[in-house]
Every structure is written in structure tokens, then in C-alpha cells.
Amino acid sequence: MRIAIVGGGPGGLYLAALMKQLDAGHEVTVWERNAPDDTFGFGVVFSDETLGGIESADTTIYRAMESQFARWTDIDVAIDGQSSTIGGQGFAAMSRKELLRILQARVAELGVQVHYRTVAPDADELRASHDLVVAADGLNSQVRGRYADAFGPSLDPRHNKYIWFGTDLVFEAFQFIVRNTEFGTMQIHGYPYSDQGSTFIVEMHEDVWRRAGFDRTEDEVFPPGVSDEYAVERVAEIFADDLGGHRILTNNSKWLSFTTVRNARWHHDNVVLIGDAAHTAHFSIGSGTKLAMEDALALAACLHEHDSVPKALAAYQDERKPVVESTQRAAQASLEWFENIGMYADQDPDEFVFNLLTRSRRITFENLKDRDAEFAARIQGAFARQVAGGDELAPAMFQPVRIGPLQLKNRVILSPMDMYSAVDGVPGEFHLVHLGSKALGGAGLVMSEMTCVSPEGRITLGCPGLWTDEQRDAWARVVRFVHERSTAKIGLQLGHSGRKGSTKLMWEGMDEPLPEDNWEVVGPSPLPYGEGCHLPREMTRADMDQVVADFRDAARRGMEAGFDLVEVHAAHGYLLSSFLSPISNQRTDEYGGSLENRLRFPLEVFDAVTAAVPAHVPVTVRISATDWMPDGNTEHDGVEIARAFIAHGAAAIDVSSGQVTKDEKPAFGRSYQTPFADRIRHEVARPAGVAVIAVGAISSHDDVNSILLAGRADLCALGRTHLYDPMWTLHAAAEQDYTGPAAEWPDPWKAGRRRPPTARTDKIPPRLALLREGTENAVHLRWRPGASEAAAPAPTPVSA
């Protein structure tokens, strides 16, 4: 096979070596525009999983790399000089220059032809003359650009500025240094790569960068290899205490903005992308070199296992792309966290450290407990003292919490979920069992589904309401059961469907209009929710007055039914949400245009509800923090929407997102909406003493505890999780060996707290046992120059 590789970085060279080993008859040629000794950056980081693959594929390369490794298991976090150490993580790093030297020597030994200081021939020419063309030419890939229509690249430049330095200060562990300066928050990502130096990456938001004067050289064009010396002077001055007299080292060091690269497809005809040409992941969760070498391993294996290039490239994309996309999701969460690090400037130091470690959602509280039990106990104790004034090390989810004047036994909420099972708006036996079972199952607060304030405000014919006394009395039965049979509280969510009304039941056709007997739907503007949906009538002032009255009357009936809390539904594209979003609200009067105007009517409704309930009943609001649309509300608008409702007395902000249009493009993933809750909590809710509720793809007690301990939210609302297991909260308590009052089993069920006699409680799965043994032995193992490799075992790695 004739193989052309464009780019002689680690990914391209490693692939060349692998293909030559698999078949010495392969004719492999590499083009690299730089000289062999031109390498930028300092150290590269690897996981044990990657190293295991390298060892299996080429022991010569692995042994040469192993001799250069710096290994350590700690993470040190220093915040304005106050340091914390967390053990049991597992890292290995080496000099990028040494890695390239090893790979260059190996390909030369194997007979690979490498053209250094040479621009590759035109991609079309390579395609015609080779069986396979590999684009390993990095972030600004010319090959990818040549076939952009086929690959479908997406480049997302981010908001932070960073510069890649080295230092002759040899760190003993992975080092995060955070400085809250007069200009804003700055951070260092550092790690040792040899006994002579460490990588030293400086990062900050562009606004901080400008305020600190780093933009002084913004318009200056530096020749290749020439570094920004002014940046060196300023960084050395700001981080003088952390450097302790050690030097900053440069290597083509210039300010950059990180760009996230994604591609819809990784192969086209006989051309394939690897490394930064195919994808990038922010340096805060790992190494682009690591990902590129993993790509090379996967591609070589697929080429070896399949009898044709097209089959091999399809298999490579199918196998490798989902793995990389998972890494990119974690990287996206991590880079966004660092972009917003200034939000946490006043956070408790222990809480800040835990927040930093769990920023990408790959590390959780349980992970840390297995790796560094002492640190985990400290975090749990700090949370207990902060929220309960005591030292009881109960799981965070079982610490008490208040929503305004309402005390809850724990921080778990049954999220409102439409059940479409009412008749004429009257909740029945189904609702009694649905809500009653979740109350018996341990949730601190169970929420009704969106309860409609008028017949015209229903989504479907199966939606419950509170526009009649009969409906009130039916709800009162459900409320009595919850109060008499459990220690849970029960909340009422009030809403109006707006332009999303008069549709079929969900399982008959979600958002599809009824086949007959439709009612008129209304909205802020005559714009349908999506293709095939109703065209709403634009609301008049008289319509608005009627809706305000309907909400007020429904809230009054809710109080007569005995509900403990009322939530105004201003999310998900229903009536109030559609007023808030510029996607659905294009009015030209005082209720459209600016966000201040778009808030006007939803706030009128909220004020009417608040006036209809007594002072001891909190009124909360659910909002969509972003529309997931280019011209819609953003997370910044979400903060301002929350701020406005807090100013009008909201006791909690229930932070959801989207569903304002069928055309939305949400970034689904585990706990994917939590960052919005985090931002709202730190920017507006926490200073006002208002609770924040996180929702969206939260399904494990570990995720709940991690969200709470990191300070991203005060409570977590779980929906589908409770449908899967109505007793989820009690089961979570049992799994965590918690038996306190925050997870009290009903008297008839208390025997269920004990595992059945057939349960195997005396055995730990072998893999878990090995993991625990390994981490106990390496909780605070640190790498030091001159330490023997035998003294540095590497536990299972976890990327942050």
C-alpha cells in the first residue's frame, strides 16, 4: 500500500511506524514543513490506557518513552497562595522534544521516508498517486480545508487567551495555580515533564488579558520561533511568588485563543483525518498529542483488519469518533469552566477545589472518595458545616435545605413531568399513585406536572388544570396523601401552553395538532412553534389580562388544595417562555424588543401569583436559560431573566433550557444543563440568598452529590430517573449507607432498608478491589527528580 502522510508530528510519525511494522512492504512517505528539531511546546501528558496501547503496538517506542517519563499521582491546587493536595489521580508526562526524537529515530530505523522542511504536494495529486492520504497537519489543516465540503469542519474559537511556557521549576505534581488579581482571575496549568523543567501554561479570559495589559503586543507579528518577551516579563511579575525565583522558558510562545475543531466526517474517498486536523480538546483535560497517537493506533488497527481502504476508514470513524466526541464534551465543560473561573473568586477554598476537579463531570465525589478519602471527607464536612452548621457527614443530597420559608428534609426533587392522564383537567387515580409513590420513595419535594390555568391553556386534552373547584378538590386528595403518608412536601407548577397547545397526547404524536375540535392558541406573535404546528393569534392586552387573572385564580385554588409551594412555568416555549424569547416574541409594542420589554408580561403573571398566596408559601419560577439557537436567548440572558424574577421575590430559580422552537440544537449530555444553574447561582442567586435547582440528565446519587458539593446548585430535580425507580431516593440512601431522617422509610416499608438475605454484601468486585488497593498505596505519591521508576506506580487515571 502506498501511504502519504501530511504532517510529521507525533500522530503522523507514529502512524508511519505502525504501518511499516504491520507490513514492511507498505511504502510510507511523510511530509513535514518544519525541520526535525523544530518543536513547539514543552511537555505532553499520557494516560495509562494510552500507554498500554503503545506498549502493545510497539515495545521499542514504548520503552524509549518510558525511560523519559515523569509520573505522579497528586494534583496541587494553589489559590492566592493557599494550597490543597488531592491524591490518587495518575499521570505520566515527557518532553515533547524527546517524544519527537524517539519517533523520528523509529521511523528512520523502519525505512519510512520523511521529507523535512518540505510542503506536501497538492492533495489531489497525492490522492491520485497513493492508496491512502492521511491528514495529520494540525489545527490549520490544509488538507481538511481542501475538502471542507466533504469533511464538514466546525471551528469554534473560544474566549480565553493562553500562552504556552516552560519553567525550570520542577513541580512535584499536576499544578493548578489561581491568582485573583486586580485585573481578574488568572490561572496556571503546570506539570513536570523531566528532571529539568515543567510545562507552565498561563490562561485568562480575554477581558482580564486586556485589563492586565497583555494586549500590548496584539497587533505585532512575531516571526516563527520568536516569543512574546513582554508577556514573559508580565507573567514573571504576576506569578513571582509561585515561581520562587525560577525562570520562565519560551519556545515560540505567543498568546493564542483555543479553537475547538469538530468534523462531521473524518474520511473522504481515500483521505482521512487524524489528530488536530480531525478534532481538538482543551488542554485542561489532557493532551492533543495523546489523542493523535490514539487515532494512529485505531487507524492502523482498522487498516490491518479490513481488506479495503474504504471499509477500514469507515470502521476507523465508527470506532474512534464517538470516543473523541465524549472527550470533547468533557473538554467543552472544562474550557467553559475556566472561561468563567472569575465567578468562583469568593467561593470557599475547599468548595472551589472540588468544583475545579469536577468541572468536566469525569471526576465525581465517589471517584475522589476512592482515590483520596481524606480530601473527600474534608469536602463533605465543609458542606455540612456550611449548610447545616454541624459536622454530620451525611451525603450532601441528604442535608436539609430551605426554599424561602419552606424547609425540606433533603435536596432531591421530583421534577415536573407531563403525564397527559387527566380527564377534563381533573387529576385522578393515576396522579395519586404517580405523585404519592415518589413522595413515599423519599424525595424531599414532589412537583405536579404543569397544571393549566384555563381550558385554552392546556397542551393536550389529558393535561390537568386548576380552573374549577372540582379540579381543586381532586388535587387536595393528592396533597393530603403526600402530607399524611410521607414527610415530603408537594409543589404546584402552574402554566399556560400558549402556541404549543391543542395538540395530541405525547404518545399519539408530540406537538402535532389535534385531528379535530382544536381550540384557538395564542402567543406573543403569530409564529408557529415549528413546521406543521398551529399558527397562534397574537395576544391583545385583554388576552393578557385574562391570563393574569387565570394564573391568580389557579394559585388561589392551589392554596385551598394545600400545596406547599407554587412554581410559575416560564420555560420550554410555553406562553410565558414564548414572551421571553426573541425567537417567538417579535412584538413591536412594550412587550417585545428588548429583554426588559419581553420580561414585562411574565413578571406581571408572577406578581399576580405571588399576591395570591400567603407569605409562608414560596413562589418559584422555571426558566429556559438558553434557547439553543443563534438568535435566541443565551446563558447571559438567562442570568438577567433570573435576576428579574429574583427582584420580584422568586424563592428559587429552576434552571432548564430550550424547547422554544423545533429548530433548536441542544448539546445533550450528562448533567448538560447544570452549567446554566451554576452561572445563575453564582452571579445572581447566591448573593440574594435564593435557591437554585439544577435539572437535566441527572440520574445518579453521585452526580447529585457532586453538583451540590461543588456549589453548582442547591437542589437537584430528577424526572425520568424517578419514572424508572419511584423509590430512587430511598435506594440512593441505602447504597450510601445513610439511615437518617432525610431518607425516612414509611413504617410499612422499613424492613426494605435491609438487603434481602440472598444479597452478596461480603464481596467486592475484583476490579474495584484492585482499584481501592492501588489508590490506598498511592494516595499522595509524588514525582521527584531522580526518583526511581519502580517507586512510581501509576493508578488508573481519571481526566479532569
Side-chain angles (χ1 to χ4, degrees):
M1 183 188 298
R2 298 194 72 210
I3 303 172
I5 299 176
V6 182
L13 291 176
Y14 187 47
L15 177 65
L18 292 174
M19 294 308 296
K20 263 297 193 183
Q21 287 182 87
L22 289 170
D23 187 341
H26 288 320
E27 181 184 326
V28 184
T29 307
V30 180
W31 284 268
E32 170 53 50
R33 63 183 178 180
N34 293 313
D37 55 352
D38 286 347
T39 180
F40 307 117
F42 293 89
V44 292
V45 182
F46 295 96
S47 68
D48 284 355
E49 182 181 9
T50 303
L51 295 176
I54 293 172
E55 182 178 17
S56 299
D58 188 325
T59 55
T60 301
I61 289 177
Y62 176 77
R63 286 170 184 160
M65 291 173 61
E66 186 181 34
S67 68
Q68 301 290 327
F69 286 153
R71 288 188 182 270
W72 67 95
T73 60
D74 281 357
I75 294 176
D76 287 346
V77 182
I79 310 164
D80 295 330
Q82 182 175 339
S83 186
S84 297
T85 296
I86 305 90
Q89 306 305 313
F91 299 95
M94 66 180 296
S95 162
R96 179 178 172 84
K97 183 177 290 187
E98 286 301 310
L99 175 62
L100 278 173
R101 181 187 60 77
I102 290 167
L103 293 171
Q104 289 166 357
R106 183 59 171 155
V107 296
E109 176 188 345
L110 292 169
V112 174
Q113 186 175 15
V114 183
H115 300 288
Y116 294 108
R117 302 184 182 89
T118 305
V119 176
D122 180 76
D124 283 343
E125 179 183 332
L126 291 176
R127 283 178 64 194
S129 58
H130 290 77
D131 301 299
L132 176 68
V133 179
V134 181
D137 51 345
L139 173 68
N140 299 311
S141 170
Q142 292 185 1
V143 178
R144 184 189 65 218
R146 178 70 178 79
Y147 306 115
D149 289 346
F151 291 124
S154 166
L155 277 65
D156 178 19
R158 300 305 305 179
H159 308 300
N160 273 11
K161 291 285 189 179
Y162 73 96
I163 190 167
W164 207 291
F165 290 133
T167 175
D168 58 2
L169 169 62
V170 182
F171 294 124
E172 294 182 357
F174 204 110
Q175 183 78 56
F176 288 108
I177 301 171
V178 180
R179 285 281 172 189
N180 292 302
T181 73
E182 60 184 301
F183 314 109
T185 304
M186 305 178 185
Q187 61 267 11
I188 300 294
H189 308 253
Y191 54 87
Y193 60 82
S194 74
D195 60 358
Q196 298 182 30
S198 303
T199 293
F200 193 81
I201 306 171
V202 185
E203 185 185 23
M204 66 197 74
H205 195 279
E206 184 177 3
D207 294 343
V208 178
W209 179 78
R210 292 189 183 282
R211 286 196 293 268
F214 286 113
D215 61 341
R216 171 173 165 177
T217 56
E218 185 174 14
D219 298 325
E220 195 170 331
V221 178
F222 294 95
V226 176
S227 300
D228 185 342
E229 292 301 327
Y230 176 72
V232 175
E233 296 174 10
R234 290 288 288 134
V235 168
E237 178 185 345
I238 292 169
F239 291 95
D241 291 343
D242 303 289
L243 287 164
H246 288 271
R247 292 181 300 137
I248 290 177
L249 309 176
T250 62
N251 184 356
N252 204 43
S253 302
K254 302 161 189 171
W255 289 107
L256 301 169
S257 297
F258 187 84
T259 298
T260 300
V261 175
R262 299 178 179 88
N263 283 275
R265 286 172 54 84
W266 286 12
H267 64 93
H268 164 60
D269 193 21
N270 64 338
V271 182
V272 65
L273 306 176
I274 70 170
D276 285 358
H279 50 71
T280 58
H282 193 251
F283 50 80
S284 61
I285 71 149
S287 162
T289 299
K290 164 188 174 296
L291 290 175
M293 293 181 73
E294 288 175 346
D295 287 351
L297 274 168
L299 179 57
C302 290
L303 288 165
H304 183 62
E305 293 166 2
H306 292 81
D307 58 8
S308 73
V309 168
K311 289 180 182 177
L313 299 189
Y316 162 68
Q317 177 173 301
D318 289 345
E319 172 190 321
R320 185 74 183 135
K321 195 166 185 278
V323 175
V324 170
E325 287 174 344
S326 175
T327 300
Q328 287 187 306
R329 285 192 292 272
Q332 187 75 9
S334 181
L335 75 85
E336 289 178 2
W337 191 91
F338 279 110
E339 286 176 344
N340 297 310
I341 194 172
M343 291 195 311
Y344 311 112
D346 61 349
Q347 199 170 22
D348 173 83
D350 283 336
E351 188 179 70
F352 177 90
V353 172
F354 184 79
N355 195 348
L356 184 153
L357 293 172
T358 59
R359 66 193 181 277
S360 74
R361 302 188 282 278
R362 285 196 163 186
I363 291 179
T364 64
F365 177 70
E366 290 296 325
N367 294 149
L368 283 175
K369 192 162 64 173
D370 281 338
R371 288 162 172 76
D372 193 334
E374 180 182 349
F375 177 76
R378 194 171 91 211
I379 293 298
Q380 205 171 37
F383 186 80
R385 288 188 294 275
Q386 176 187 344
V387 303
D391 294 314
E392 182 188 0
L393 292 185
M397 63 188 290
F398 293 119
Q399 292 288 359
V401 66
R402 300 187 75 87
I403 297 179
L406 181 66
Q407 179 78 36
L408 301 179
K409 63 180 179 180
N410 62 47
R411 293 167 184 260
V412 178
I413 299 175
L414 168 69
S415 196
M417 291 176 288
D418 293 322
M419 295 288 105
Y420 307 112
S421 299
V423 178
D424 295 329
V426 179
E429 302 292 337
F430 178 90
H431 299 83
L432 178 65
V433 174
H434 167 60
L435 294 171
S437 64
K438 311 311 182 292
L440 293 174
L445 173 67
V446 295
M447 290 296 301
S448 78
E449 63 195 275
M450 187 176 92
T451 301
C452 304
V453 297
S454 67
E456 301 78 23
R458 289 176 293 174
I459 310 166
T460 74
L461 292 170
C463 291
L466 257 177
W467 65 84
T468 71
D469 291 348
E470 180 187 9
Q471 295 162 353
R472 175 202 62 195
D473 295 342
W475 277 119
R477 183 185 178 212
V478 176
V479 172
R480 281 196 303 273
F481 179 90
V482 171
H483 287 162
E484 293 173 3
R485 292 289 184 170
S486 79
T487 53
K489 303 298 182 182
I490 181 168
L492 167 68
Q493 187 187 69
L494 290 177
H496 187 296
S497 60
R499 66 179 184 163
K500 295 176 73 174
S502 192
T503 61
K504 297 177 183 178
L505 302 181
M506 179 182 66
W507 48 87
E508 293 176 351
M510 190 170 181
D511 298 321
E512 295 180 12
L514 290 168
E516 56 187 10
D517 298 328
N518 283 278
W519 57 87
E520 183 182 47
V521 298
V522 296
S525 301
L527 300 169
Y529 174 62
E531 186 177 354
C533 297
H534 290 296
L535 179 68
R537 176 174 61 79
E538 181 170 305
M539 291 181 71
T540 65
R541 182 62 252 187
D543 295 324
M544 295 182 204
D545 291 340
Q546 183 59 56
V547 169
V548 170
D550 290 340
F551 268 91
R552 181 186 61 241
D553 292 345
R556 175 180 54 78
R557 287 192 176 92
M559 294 303 92
E560 293 168 356
F563 282 100
D564 302 300
L565 173 148
V566 178
E567 178 171 276
V568 174
H569 198 343
H572 299 171
Y574 297 119
L575 183 62
L576 302 186
S577 172
S578 66
F579 266 87
L580 291 171
S581 172
I583 297 293
S584 46
N585 183 351
Q586 297 183 11
R587 299 175 73 99
T588 57
D589 62 6
E590 66 269 34
Y591 297 99
S594 68
L595 179 58
E596 181 183 7
N597 284 358
R598 300 197 309 271
L599 271 160
R600 197 183 303 274
F601 177 60
L603 289 173
E604 287 181 21
V605 170
F606 185 86
D607 290 344
V609 169
T610 302
V613 305
H616 68 272
V617 175
V619 180
T620 68
V621 62
R622 172 169 278 204
I623 66 170
S624 285
T626 181
D627 290 343
W628 298 112
M629 287 288 290
D631 297 322
N633 284 330
T634 67
E635 65 269 24
H636 303 289
D637 297 310
V639 168
E640 296 310 312
I641 290 169
R643 191 192 308 276
F645 279 107
I646 289 171
H648 281 246
I653 308 295
D654 189 355
V655 186
S656 189
S657 70
Q659 301 183 49
V660 299
T661 172
K662 279 189 173 184
D663 297 326
E664 67 176 1
K665 292 181 172 58
F668 288 120
R670 179 168 138 252
S671 307
Y672 72 105
Q673 294 179 148
T674 301
F676 305 128
D678 188 10
R679 177 184 283 272
I680 287 170
R681 183 175 189 265
H682 281 91
E683 291 199 21
V684 291
R686 187 178 185 179
V690 170
V692 167
I693 303 165
V695 307
I698 303 169
S699 59
S700 72
H701 63 74
D702 190 17
D703 281 341
V704 172
N705 288 329
S706 299
I707 289 167
L708 298 173
L709 289 169
R712 297 188 175 99
D714 301 287
L715 305 98
C716 290
L718 294 83
R720 290 176 176 87
T721 303
H722 276 115
L723 297 182
Y724 178 76
D725 181 2
M727 295 178 63
W728 181 83
T729 307
L730 294 182
H731 290 159
E735 290 168 10
Q736 297 174 84
D737 296 321
Y738 174 76
T739 57
E744 186 70 24
W745 287 59
D747 288 337
W749 291 0
K750 282 188 176 178
R753 284 189 300 192
R754 297 191 298 273
R755 289 185 173 91
T758 55
R760 298 291 297 275
T761 59
D762 58 332
K763 291 188 179 293
I764 297 174
R767 284 187 68 188
L768 182 57
L770 287 173
L771 175 62
R772 289 181 177 173
E773 179 183 357
T775 53
E776 285 168 7
N777 292 336
V779 165
H780 289 304
L781 179 66
R782 302 168 74 81
W783 180 83
R784 292 181 175 82
S788 69
E789 293 299 326
T796 302
V798 176
S799 296

